[in-house]
């Protein structure tokens, strides 16, 4: 048997796989411990593992951590125990005690998502020698491998290469040989479906084969150590090409998940992988397969040879017997047991809220390990206990990241202006624009200035802007934008604009604009006015896709009694009905303009300006210019209202509790709190809205 030695990288913490076995094997053949190169190979006799030997291999998944290392909200400058890898770490430690054989794997969307991430990427970029904060913490936790999510591409390829310790063979970077060797994670990152435009090779290693020694049980009940080779392969959503077009176009291209897996799984098998674990940063979608589909994991599960799937990107929990999420109620998906077309699968929510655990039951038969699917189980373990308290933190994490944390807080506290009103999204679903108008004003002004200076062919076409309540309660009562009256600092700008998007401007017709608003109005369920029972107003359609106009020049109604696609009424510009053929320039972001959210016609073809400037920086610059933000001029221009209708029963929505007075102050006079706690433990209250007011 041919064994590749990677001793330096294979020494595990107590409880993880391999330390004892690897050291044992090394001493037995007389090689000094401490080899770090991957190139040494020796021939050793095949170890004797009896047929019928069994073992349990626990795959531990984190996904969509988004650099939430601490239980801390940088926008609120306050602790938030409901998230943070410092708590997931406690679940990881417990699982390592519980199972003799574990692998810790990360499913991507790792390096972006908090002010700390932006600080290290954009404000005071880490130098080549310095390990990025999130990878420093992950090194501490002794991850075995990880993959790359879509958000890893947000800061560009050179930054991604640097912080992952990689060299990319792509056209717009210097030749691989001249790229510096920078500090990255000390575990392998694998990604099979993003390839260099010229090299036609994956920019990361497509897969790795982890060689581990596991504790197993012989047929006669003896505990033994046995070697196993686990192939781990990674996938990211092909939609990155649209979302991060500004970085990726001309440099890389993507392959479909099925195409990549069909190429590499047999190759991994040929190289000796006995178990194949697919780390797929994407959810499940059973619509017709396409190599460019965003959530391809449903079809990935059908590729022969895949023994387990770690999935992500959708920020959901799987398995969950109570899940009402569409993707977990598809044919072939067992949301109780945690299988997709028979393949054990887990999705561990986001921001460190859960740890995914797949217990793979292994049997040794005919000279190799195979997975017994029926005896394997999957679960997602919450950092929240049954009594609603949270597991303790692992104190080593905050120690490791203390300097980065302090620098981030210092950065986000920098004051840039003032506001005479509280800017929030608590009631954005029912018409409050207090946190949205300033974003639209900044985007529209920036775009108008650029057109005036550089694009005379569009002079005279009305410029408007759309934005959405990015934080709208999905993560619970704390997951809302909330900027207090008084000083406005950078953390407030980040609260007003959550994502590291850039400004894009598109040219659309009146018909396009109406279709855009119709799509955004999917935010609402169809309300039956005759129904005497309580009806929930807000659907599962994400708040960040609820694009809205906030301008004195525009007005429209949303008629929630109508079906999706037939709800926008009386769309007017400067008091006159908008015609289907009228032209508008709309300021939005790279995500939306390039196809994010699948808005009709927004596929990149309508983009007239793909700005390199971050939306948040444009907002910060605008606030610095305005200096004194006022409700009358920057927070009260409601372009849309619900079409008035009397309903026989209550129409309800969720928001943080006890905020009726705030709604009143912001001109939302038709809401009342009817239940201070909705019973989900997420800190949300139930409100009613009178659609007839
Ligand atoms: Mn994510
Ligand atoms: Mg993602």
């Amino acid at each position: 048997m041919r064994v590749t030695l990677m001793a330096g990288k294979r020494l595990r913490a107590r409880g993880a796989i391999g330390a004892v076995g690897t050291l044992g094997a090394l001493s037995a053949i007389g090689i000094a411990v401490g080899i770090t190169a991957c190139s040494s190979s020796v021939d050793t006799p095949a170890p004797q593992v009896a047929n019928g030997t069994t073992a349990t291999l626990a795959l531990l998944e984190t996904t969509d951590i988004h650099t939430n290392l601490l239980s801390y909200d940088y926008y609120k400058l306050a602790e938030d125990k409901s998230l943070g890898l410092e708590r997931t770490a406690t679940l990881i430690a417990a699982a390592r005690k519980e199972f003799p054989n574990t692998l810790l794997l990360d499913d991507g969307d790792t390096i972006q998502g908090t002010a700390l991430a932006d600080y290290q990427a954009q404000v005071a970029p880490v130098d080549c020698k310095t390990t990025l904060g999130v990878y420093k913490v992950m090194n501490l936790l002794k991850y075995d491998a990880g993959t790359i999510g879509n958000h890893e591409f947000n800061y560009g390829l050179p930054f991604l290469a640097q912080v992952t310790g990689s060299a990319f063979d792509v056209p717009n970077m210097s030749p691989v040989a001249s790229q510096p060797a920078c500090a990255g994670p000390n575990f392998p990152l694998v990604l099979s479906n993003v390839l260099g435009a010229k090299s036609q090779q994956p920019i990361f290693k497509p897969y790795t084969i982890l060689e581990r020694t596991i504790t197993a049980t012989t047929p006669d009940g003896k505990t033994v150590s046995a070697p196993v080779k686990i192939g781990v392969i990674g996938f990211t959503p092909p939609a990155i090409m649209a979302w991060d077009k500004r970085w990726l176009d001309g440099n890389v291209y993507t392959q479909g998940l099925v195409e990549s897996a069909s190429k590499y799984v047999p190759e991994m098998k040929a190289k000796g992988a006995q178990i194949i674990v697919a780390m797929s940063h994407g959810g499940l979608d059973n619509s017709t397969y396409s190599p460019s589909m965003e959530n391809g994991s449903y079809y990935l599960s059908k590729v022969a040879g895949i023994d387990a799937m770690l999935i992500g990107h959708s920020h959901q929990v799987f398995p969950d017997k109570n899940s009402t999420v569409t993707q977990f109620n598809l044919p072939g998906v067992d949301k109780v047991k945690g299988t997709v077309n028979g393949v054990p699968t887990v999705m561990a929510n986001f921001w460190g809220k859960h740890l995914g655990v797949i217990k793979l039951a292994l049997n040794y038969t005919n000279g190799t390990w195979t997975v017994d699917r029926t005896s394997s189980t999957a679960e997602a373990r919450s950092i929240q206990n049954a009594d609603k308290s949270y597991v303790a933190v692992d104190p080593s994490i905050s120690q490791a990241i203390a300097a980065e944390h302090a620098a981030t807080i210092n950065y986000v506290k920098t004051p840039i202006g003032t506001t005479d009103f509280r800017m929030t999204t608590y009631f954005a679903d029912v018409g409050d624009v207090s946190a949205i108008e300033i974003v639209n004003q900044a985007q529209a002004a920036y775009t108008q200035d650029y057109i005036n200076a550089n694009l005379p062919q569009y002079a005279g076409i009305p410029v408007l802007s759309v934005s959405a309540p990015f934080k709208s309660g999905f993560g619970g009562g704390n997951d809302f934008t909330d900027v207090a009256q008084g000083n406005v600092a950078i953390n407030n700008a980040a609260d007003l604009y959550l994502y590291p998007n850039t400004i894009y401007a598109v040219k659309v017709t009146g018909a396009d604009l109406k279709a855009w608003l119709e799509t955004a109005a999917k935010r609402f369920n169809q309300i039956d006015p005759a129904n005497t029972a309580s009806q929930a107003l807000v659907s599962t359609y994400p708040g960040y896709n609820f694009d809205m106009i906030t301008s004195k020049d525009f007005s429209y109604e949303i008629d929630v009694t109508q079906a999706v696609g037939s709800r926008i009424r009386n769309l007017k510009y400067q008091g006159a009905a908008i015609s289907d053929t009228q032209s508008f320039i709309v300021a939005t972001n790279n995500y939306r303009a390039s196809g994010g959210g699948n808005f009709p016609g927004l596929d990149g073809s309508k983009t007239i300006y793909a700005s390199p400037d971050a939306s948040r920086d444009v907002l910060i610059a605008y606030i610095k210019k305005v200096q004194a933000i006022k409700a009358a001029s920057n927070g009260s221009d409601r372009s849309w209202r619900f079409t008035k209708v009397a309903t026989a029963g209550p129409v309800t929505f969720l928001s943080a509790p006890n905020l009726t007075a705030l709604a009143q102050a912001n001109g939302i006079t038709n809401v009342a709190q009817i239940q201070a706690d909705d019973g989900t433990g997420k800190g949300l209250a139930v409100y009613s809205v009178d659609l007839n007011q």
Side-chain angles (χ1 to χ4, degrees), residues 35-283:
I35 296 167
T36 52
C38 303
S39 53
S40 318
S41 292
V42 293
D43 288 315
T44 55
Q48 295 300 309
V49 180
N51 268 344
T53 299
T54 60
T56 300
L57 171 61
L59 305 174
L60 311 181
E61 182 206 39
T62 58
T63 188
D64 296 272
I65 291 292
H66 286 284
T67 312
N68 285 278
L69 305 176
L70 304 182
S71 294
Y72 192 82
D73 184 334
Y74 291 100
Y75 308 128
K76 294 190 190 310
L77 295 171
E79 182 183 52
D80 183 348
K81 291 180 179 173
S82 74
L83 54 87
L85 190 53
E86 65 175 337
R87 283 179 210 274
T88 337
T90 299
L91 300 184
I92 292 166
R96 282 174 167 159
K97 276 201 185 122
E98 179 181 348
F99 304 108
N101 310 311
T102 60
L103 289 179
L104 178 58
L105 303 167
D106 181 70
D107 206 44
D109 276 6
T110 309
I111 70 168
Q112 173 279 336
T114 59
L116 190 153
D118 283 347
Y119 179 78
Q120 288 206 298
Q122 298 176 323
V123 181
V126 286
D127 63 33
C128 175
K129 301 187 301 293
T130 305
T131 306
L132 193 69
V134 64
Y135 288 136
K136 191 161 71 167
V137 168
M138 291 170 80
N139 287 344
L140 202 65
L141 292 172
K142 299 190 165 31
Y143 275 77
D144 291 277
T147 190
I148 298 292
N150 53 299
H151 281 288
E152 264 64 74
F153 296 95
N154 287 170
Y155 301 124
L157 289 170
F159 182 78
L160 182 58
Q162 180 197 314
V163 300
T164 58
S166 312
F168 291 157
D169 187 0
V170 297
N172 290 354
M173 287 175 66
S174 55
V176 163
S178 65
Q179 292 178 31
C182 296
N186 60 20
F187 52 89
L189 291 173
V190 294
L191 181 65
S192 67
N193 70 322
V194 177
L195 296 83
K198 282 221 187 84
S199 72
Q200 301 188 8
Q201 295 300 316
I203 60 170
F204 285 93
K205 278 190 300 189
Y207 60 84
T208 190
I209 298 175
L210 303 170
E211 299 183 28
R212 297 291 188 261
T213 300
I214 54 173
T215 302
T217 307
T218 62
D220 53 358
K222 281 206 290 273
T223 299
V224 294
S225 290
V228 60
K229 294 183 182 182
I230 306 125
V232 293
I233 179 169
F235 306 90
T236 206
I240 57 167
M241 294 309 298
W243 298 334
D244 277 306
K245 186 180 164 88
R246 68 194 190 282
W247 303 118
L248 303 182
D249 208 22
N251 278 310
V252 298
Y253 64 99
T254 59
Q255 273 180 349
L257 273 58
V258 168
E259 289 77 3
S260 297
S262 301
K263 173 177 164 66
Y264 290 116
V265 170
E267 191 177 306
M268 293 158 80
K269 288 276 188 196
K271 288 188 180 170
Q274 297 162 312
I275 311 291
I276 305 280
V277 178
M279 300 189 289
S280 176
H281 185 84

Side-chain angles (χ1 to χ4, degrees), residues 58 145 150 176 207 244 277 282 322 326 329 393 434 489 506 568 590 661-662 681:
N150 53 299
V176 163
Y207 60 84
D244 277 306
V277 178
N322 298 316
T326 309
N329 289 280
V393 301
S434 63
V506 295
I568 302 301
N590 59 304
L662 173 70

Side-chain angles (χ1 to χ4, degrees), residues 392-410:
V393 301
D394 172 345
S396 70
I397 310 284
S398 55
Q399 282 165 26
I401 206 73
E404 293 88 341
H405 180 62
T408 303
I409 289 175
N410 192 41

Side-chain angles (χ1 to χ4, degrees), residues 519-588:
T519 305
K522 287 182 180 176
R523 179 68 176 161
F524 303 112
N525 291 318
Q526 187 171 1
I527 299 299
D528 174 3
N531 190 342
T532 54
S534 179
Q535 298 180 76
L537 176 67
V538 177
S539 71
T540 57
Y541 190 72
Y544 57 75
N545 281 337
F546 182 33
D547 282 356
M548 64 180 79
I549 303 171
T550 56
S551 160
K552 283 184 175 46
D553 284 338
F554 287 85
S555 61
Y556 58 104
E557 290 175 15
I558 299 176
D559 186 348
V560 292
T561 67
Q562 302 301 306
V564 164
S566 315
R567 294 169 162 184
I568 302 301
R569 297 172 54 156
N570 297 322
L571 178 56
K572 290 179 182 169
Y573 173 61
Q574 295 184 335
I578 287 174
S579 81
D580 280 357
T581 55
Q582 213 167 339
S583 290
F584 296 97
I585 306 287
V586 184
T588 177

Side-chain angles (χ1 to χ4, degrees), residues 301-325:
S301 72
K302 296 186 171 187
V303 174
I306 290 178
D307 292 304
M309 284 203 309
L310 309 180
I311 61 174
H313 180 60
S314 318
H315 294 197
Q316 302 285 354
V317 174
F318 183 81
D320 172 7
K321 66 177 175 357
N322 298 316
S323 181
T324 56
V325 175

